[in-house]
Amino acid sequence: MRELPRQLSADELAPLFSGRTRLVERLAAEEDPLGRAEEIALAAPEEEQVEALAAHPRIGAPSPEQHGDEPDVLTRLAYLNQVYQEKFGFSFVVFVAGRPRRELVPVLEERLARTREEELETGLRELCAIARDRWTRT
C-alpha cells in the first residue's frame, strides 16, 4: 500500500477518477489532490460535479472492482441505475470495496429515497474514496 502523494498530474489522476474531467484538472493544480479531493469536489460548480460522477462506470458494468454476474442482479441494477439517472440527473456512484453486486442493490434502492442534494454530496464523497483506494492499491 502506498501513501497519498503530494502532487499528481491530470494524467495520473484521470484513471483514479474514471476519466479526465474538469474536477481532475482542478485537483491536478493542487499540492495535495487526494487529501483535498472531497473539499474541492464539494466546492466545485454543479456542472463539474455532475460531469465527474458521469465519468464513473455504472454499477453492474464490467469492472475489476465489481464482481458477481447473476443475471437477475444485473437486470435489477440496470433498471435501478436508469431510475437513479432519471431522478437525479447523474450516475450512481458507490465505493464497492469488494462487495458483490447483489449487495449493492439495497444500497441503490435506499439512496433512491434521498434528495438530489444529498445524493450529489454522497456520490462525490464516494468518488473521492474510490480514487484514494485506487491510488493506495496500485
Side-chain angles (χ1 to χ4, degrees):
M1 182 187 300
R2 59 183 175 174
E3 294 183 22
L4 297 182
R6 301 303 298 162
Q7 185 79 41
L8 287 171
S9 70
D11 287 339
E12 292 169 308
L13 286 165
L16 304 178
F17 286 87
S18 299
R20 190 171 183 144
T21 63
R22 288 175 284 180
L23 175 61
V24 164
E25 297 292 336
R26 281 182 189 276
L27 291 171
E30 297 295 323
E31 184 177 320
D32 183 15
L34 295 176
R36 297 194 58 222
E38 278 187 26
E39 170 192 350
I40 292 165
L42 295 173
E46 185 175 317
E47 72 244 9
E48 292 181 24
Q49 294 174 333
V50 171
E51 175 191 50
L53 294 175
H56 194 73
R58 284 184 163 219
I59 296 301
S63 163
E65 296 155 326
Q66 299 178 39
H67 59 279
D69 59 358
E70 303 96 324
D72 59 328
V73 171
L74 295 175
T75 300
R76 182 75 177 148
L77 284 173
Y79 170 75
L80 292 171
N81 271 313
Q82 183 64 36
V83 171
Y84 187 97
Q85 178 76 39
E86 289 172 6
K87 178 176 181 177
F88 297 117
F90 49 84
S91 300
F92 172 72
V93 176
V94 65
F95 183 22
V96 173
R99 293 178 283 181
R101 289 184 176 108
R102 72 181 168 301
E103 290 182 17
L104 302 175
V105 171
V107 174
L108 206 165
E109 290 171 334
E110 176 187 318
R111 286 182 45 191
L112 275 166
R114 300 173 75 189
T115 67
R116 187 176 193 279
E117 292 74 26
E118 289 171 323
E119 273 310 291
L120 192 56
E121 180 178 336
T122 299
L124 291 166
R125 289 185 190 281
E126 296 281 306
L127 182 66
C128 294
I130 292 164
R132 283 190 298 274
D133 182 67
R134 286 175 175 170
W135 174 262
T136 59
R137 284 186 298 111
T138 58

